[in-house]
């Protein structure tokens, strides 16, 4: 009897043998890949924050001298609080910020000229300083594959200097914000106790950039540079940290995940490639394309890095990336990545329980829609229905099933990261 192929495997001439069958335990398949087979979850993935528009947040206030900054702290401790956050204005504005940067880099290479403000240059100098500290803190003799203890020394140095590092980025009149923003910086590079790193830490770095936009120190003219200069440099630093100290992937889904560490490079990287004349999603299988263009496109750089650090064919180490490679258009890949980021990062309690809030990125939970709104029809409770879906695969999609969806989410969300409770 021939071996059983994994349910997502497509018949293709370039695959010599079927992938081993395995259960994904409710993890979400690429939601836009319906053309290559039925979704494993049996339902499409909708945006958790459906009404977000691509725009930078409005500055917090005109006179920041009267503003009271707060130390960043955690506020999400339950599924109900997470769902309330996803309905909030803050969640809408944060996703809108991600979408605004997404729009800013469509069709742009990393080396394309762009406006670089003084704040952007100072952020690059900050990341260069942290890079230098990695070189000054070599890895220690260690027998395990992951978790080199020398990382703790680097992290302690970075965390202690975080307030001063942030203060050097801010203009003279906003030095008081360093006490709040330093928490975001310190939490952007992993966890020193577990020696791990994941998409939650990456999202915290994005939150730091969001807070700078709320302060008004970066604006629309900086949007492209925030991705092609600042985030690209941050990604280089994280790869150096990962390969120097071998940080444990926080909450990794293994081969069933998009990437062990990152997500946003796939969002913004797929935007870069929209309408590219010859690089297609399937081009990730071309050695020549990866060698020639991984330094210009975040998406290709991520695939190249995966192939460098993981042994074996890509269809075995990263089947989801191969699944996505079958999509014909980058625009469809990009829209799917945006939805998947909301479903697999912003909607996951094991990740968002570590998310930080302050006076610039406020925790302003929105109340649940009243029963009358649900009874009015699908449109009245669309937001709540969409948010429940990513957290509870298979939960009823009808708005009147809100209570059952929330109950299902309470049991399914923590189970996603049972092997590792970090900020995956």
């Amino acid at each position: 009897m021939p071996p059983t192929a994994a349910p997502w495997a497509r018949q293709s001439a370039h695959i010599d043998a079927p992938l081993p069958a395995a259960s994904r335990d409710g993890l979400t398949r690429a939601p836009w890949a319906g053309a290559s087979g039925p979704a494993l979850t049996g339902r499409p993935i909708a945006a958790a924050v459906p009404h977000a528009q691509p725009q930078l947040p409005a500055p917090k206030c005109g006179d920041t001298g009267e503003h009271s900054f707060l130390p960043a702290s955690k506020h999400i401790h339950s599924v109900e609080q997470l769902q309330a956050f996803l309905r909030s204005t803050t969640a809408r504005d944060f996703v809108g910020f991600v979408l605004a940067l997404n729009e800013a880099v469509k069709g742009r290479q990393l080396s394309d000229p762009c406006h670089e403000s003084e704040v952007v240059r100072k952020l690059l100098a900050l990341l260069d300083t942290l890079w230098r500290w990695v070189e000054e803190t070599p890895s220690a003799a260690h027998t395990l594959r992951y978790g080199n203890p020398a990382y703790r020394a680097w992290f302690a140095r970075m965390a202690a200097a975080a307030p001063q590092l942030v203060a050097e980025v801010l203009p003279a009149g906003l030095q008081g914000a360093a006490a709040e923003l330093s928490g975001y910086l310190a939490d952007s590079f992993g966890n020193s106790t577990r020696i791990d790193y994941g998409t939650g830490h990456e999202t915290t770095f994005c939150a730091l950039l969001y807070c700078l936009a709320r302060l008004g120190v970066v604006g629309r003219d900086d949007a492209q540079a925030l991705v092609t200069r600042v985030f690209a440099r941050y990604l280089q630093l994280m790869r150096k940290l990962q390969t120097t100290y071998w940080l444990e992937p926080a909450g990794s889904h293994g081969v069933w995940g998009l990437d062990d560490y990152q997500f946003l490079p796939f969002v913004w990287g797929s935007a870069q490639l929209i309408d590219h004349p010859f690089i297609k999603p399937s081009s990730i299988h071309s050695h020549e394309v990866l060698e020639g263009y991984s330094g210009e496109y975040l998406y290709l750089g991520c695939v190249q890095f995966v192939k460098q650090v993981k042994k074996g064919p890509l269809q075995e180490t990263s089947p989801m990336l191969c699944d996505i490679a079958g999509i014909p258009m980058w625009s469809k890949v990009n829209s799917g990545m945006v939805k998947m980021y909301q479903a697999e990062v912003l909607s996951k309690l094991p990740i968002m329980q570590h998310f930080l809030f302050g006076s610039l990125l406020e925790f302003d939970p929105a109340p649940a829609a009243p029963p009358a709104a649900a009874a009015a029809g699908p449109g009245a409770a669309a937001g709540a229905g969409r948010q429940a879906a990513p957290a509870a695969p298979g939960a009823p999609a009808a708005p009147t099933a809100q209570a059952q969806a929330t109950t299902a989410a309470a049991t399914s969300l923590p189970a996603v990261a049972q092997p590792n409770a970090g900020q995956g």
Side-chain angles (χ1 to χ4, degrees):
M1 177 181 294
T4 303
W8 62 93
R10 302 183 302 279
Q11 296 299 321
S12 175
H14 71 273
I15 298 178
D16 297 328
L19 298 174
S23 171
R24 299 188 62 191
D25 296 326
L27 297 182
T28 306
R29 180 194 181 176
W32 57 94
S36 60
L40 296 183
T41 57
R43 57 167 177 75
I45 301 301
V49 187
H51 303 299
Q53 298 298 319
Q55 59 186 10
L56 268 63
K60 177 65 176 178
C61 56
D63 185 2
T64 53
E66 299 179 358
H67 182 73
S68 297
F69 295 102
L70 303 172
S73 58
K74 302 172 185 178
H75 286 272
I76 296 176
H77 307 290
S78 67
V79 172
E80 291 74 20
Q81 289 175 326
L82 174 57
Q83 295 297 327
F85 163 69
L86 292 174
R87 293 189 297 266
S88 70
T89 301
T90 296
R92 183 194 65 197
D93 291 347
F94 181 74
V95 174
F97 177 72
V98 173
L99 295 176
L101 300 192
N102 190 69
E103 290 293 321
V105 297
K106 283 185 176 180
R108 303 289 186 177
Q109 295 186 114
L110 295 181
S111 63
D112 283 353
C114 62
H115 173 73
E116 294 186 29
S117 65
E118 182 180 1
V119 170
V120 166
R121 291 192 293 270
K122 288 181 177 180
L123 284 169
L124 294 175
L126 183 158
L127 295 171
D128 287 344
T129 296
L130 297 180
W131 181 289
R132 187 177 69 253
W133 290 356
V134 176
E135 295 179 334
E136 295 173 0
T137 314
S139 59
H142 192 53
T143 57
L144 299 179
R145 177 183 178 187
Y146 288 112
N148 194 287
Y151 168 74
R152 293 194 174 107
W154 178 89
F155 188 95
R157 185 178 182 183
M158 177 274 299
Q164 180 60 34
L165 291 172
V166 173
E168 292 174 357
V169 172
L170 297 171
L174 292 173
Q175 294 297 301
E180 181 168 328
L181 299 189
S182 61
Y184 291 97
L185 180 67
D187 202 44
S188 295
F189 304 100
N191 182 277
S192 61
T193 301
R194 298 185 300 268
I195 314 185
D196 67 4
Y197 172 85
T199 52
H201 303 103
E202 174 191 75
T203 297
T204 300
F205 185 76
C206 185
L208 172 64
L209 301 181
Y210 171 91
C211 289
L212 291 175
R214 290 230 60 191
L215 284 173
V217 299
V218 295
R220 183 180 302 175
D221 292 341
D222 300 299
Q224 181 180 340
L226 288 180
V227 177
T228 63
R229 301 293 187 269
V230 177
F231 186 82
R233 189 73 58 85
Y234 166 78
L235 188 58
Q236 290 174 345
L237 173 60
M238 286 317 309
R239 288 173 180 161
K240 186 172 183 65
L241 286 167
Q242 291 155 16
T243 55
T244 300
Y245 306 120
W246 292 105
L247 309 183
E248 183 84 21
S252 171
H253 295 161
V255 298
W256 310 133
L258 187 64
D259 185 87
D260 280 343
Y261 299 105
Q262 316 293 160
F263 205 114
L264 285 173
F266 292 96
V267 177
W268 296 328
S270 57
Q272 288 182 275
L273 287 159
I274 289 176
D275 295 330
H276 195 281
F278 63 85
I279 299 179
K280 308 300 180 184
S282 59
S283 298
I284 67 168
H285 297 297
S286 168
H287 176 76
E288 291 76 15
V289 168
L290 293 181
E291 285 294 319
Y293 295 94
S294 60
E296 290 287 1
Y297 297 99
L298 295 173
Y299 193 103
L300 300 181
C302 285
V303 175
Q304 180 83 319
F305 185 70
V306 167
K307 297 186 74 171
Q308 289 173 355
V309 299
K310 290 188 176 182
K311 297 180 179 180
L314 192 66
Q315 59 263 33
E316 293 181 6
T317 62
S318 302
M320 182 174 283
L321 288 176
C322 291
D323 188 47
I324 296 167
I327 305 305
M329 298 179 297
W330 283 113
S331 58
K332 191 173 183 181
V333 173
N334 181 243
S335 62
M337 286 291 181
V338 169
K339 293 177 182 178
M340 193 177 178
Y341 177 68
Q342 296 179 49
E344 293 297 331
V345 178
L346 300 184
S347 298
K348 297 302 184 185
L349 181 60
I351 296 174
M352 296 304 291
Q353 67 184 350
H354 301 286
F355 196 61
L356 299 176
F357 298 89
S359 68
L360 299 171
L361 204 165
E362 307 98 326
F363 182 68
D364 60 341
R386 289 190 183 102
Q387 290 146 21
T400 53
Q402 175 69 29
Q404 294 95 317
T406 303
T407 302
T411 58
S412 65
L413 274 171
V416 174
Q418 280 289 346
N420 191 319
Q423 284 180 263

